[in-house]
Amino acid sequence: MDAYMEFLTDFGVDIRRDIKAAECTMINRTIPYGGTSDIWARLRFPAPTSPIMPRFKPRAVPAGPIPTPSGLWLVDLKTSLTKPASAVYDDHLMQLAALRHAEVALICPPECRYGESENHDASHEFPVPEFVGTAILNLRTNGYGFVPLPADRDAFDAFCGLIPLAHYESLHRRGDAAPVQRSLPVRRGR
Ligand SMILES: [Zn+2]
């Protein structure tokens, strides 16, 4: 919570004014998939690019400024007691790309939370807005890391390519996979 409050202060975020949605379910019926986004936040940056925090400058890659357009950002919060505030993973990018390219977002009463009940109707759905950016917000006991990730069309195409893999994996659990030996064990000494 301290790290989250710190982020809100540093980035000039007023919750009532700037947080447009929280825990919003987003659906793409064409592909199909669904998921829940953490926050949609209207962020204001003083410049179109922002410098990397000095303590997270990568050693191998030249550290250039990162695009930070002002506008509506799709932000996913990640908490951890062990990982650094700079940690991002490929699946974070896939997750953001999927949510950004969802078709509709839901504002449902509790009884039709996932849009699949008899109570649900189109008045609970609205088109997903354009996001100017997508980011991971890492929350740690010693601070936060706001990490923009390019969840663009290429990332979305990659996500779509993974869906058959996810289906296959869910249908074919590997719990019965184990090393075998060629013959029965020889019992020694009775
Ligand atoms: Zn509904």
Side-chain angles (χ1 to χ4, degrees):
M1 274 310 295
D2 288 345
Y4 189 44
M5 299 298 282
E6 198 183 328
F7 162 76
L8 295 175
T9 302
D10 289 355
F11 279 66
V13 176
D14 178 295
I15 290 179
R16 284 178 184 277
R17 183 191 62 193
D18 300 322
I19 303 294
K20 300 301 178 186
E23 290 289 323
C24 187
T25 298
M26 303 171 79
I27 291 178
N28 186 323
R29 290 194 171 92
T30 307
I31 301 292
Y33 63 82
T36 304
S37 54
D38 281 341
I39 53 171
W40 303 1
R42 196 163 290 282
L43 302 179
R44 291 164 197 76
F45 292 91
T49 61
S50 297
I52 295 174
M53 293 173 85
R55 70 184 168 115
F56 294 122
K57 285 231 167 116
R59 291 183 195 90
V61 191
I66 291 177
T68 49
S70 293
L72 190 64
W73 282 70
L74 175 67
V75 182
D76 206 75
L77 280 57
K78 304 287 183 195
T79 57
S80 170
L81 289 173
T82 54
K83 292 166 190 147
S86 56
V88 287
Y89 299 90
D90 288 345
D91 56 296
H92 293 167
L93 181 61
M94 297 294 101
Q95 180 192 354
L96 287 169
L99 291 171
R100 183 185 220 168
H101 293 87
E103 294 163 337
V104 294
L106 306 189
I107 307 179
C108 283
E111 59 268 23
C112 66
R113 198 171 155 207
Y114 297 110
E116 296 297 336
S117 78
E118 289 173 8
N119 297 309
H120 186 76
D121 69 67
S123 72
H124 303 163
E125 303 190 358
F126 60 99
V128 170
E130 285 279 324
F131 294 99
V132 300
T134 50
I136 293 295
L137 175 58
N138 283 324
L139 300 176
R140 304 293 187 257
T141 53
N142 63 348
Y144 67 87
F146 179 84
V147 188
L149 287 179
D152 55 12
R153 189 74 212 184
D154 287 347
F156 181 59
D157 288 345
F159 166 76
C160 290
L162 290 172
I163 293 175
L165 174 66
H167 285 161
Y168 177 83
E169 293 265 298
S170 70
L171 292 173
H172 300 82
R173 289 265 152 244
R174 290 278 89 94
D176 56 351
V180 298
Q181 58 186 17
R182 183 163 169 266
S183 59
L184 291 170
V186 177
R187 297 256 166 116
R188 289 166 193 274
R190 295 198 141 204

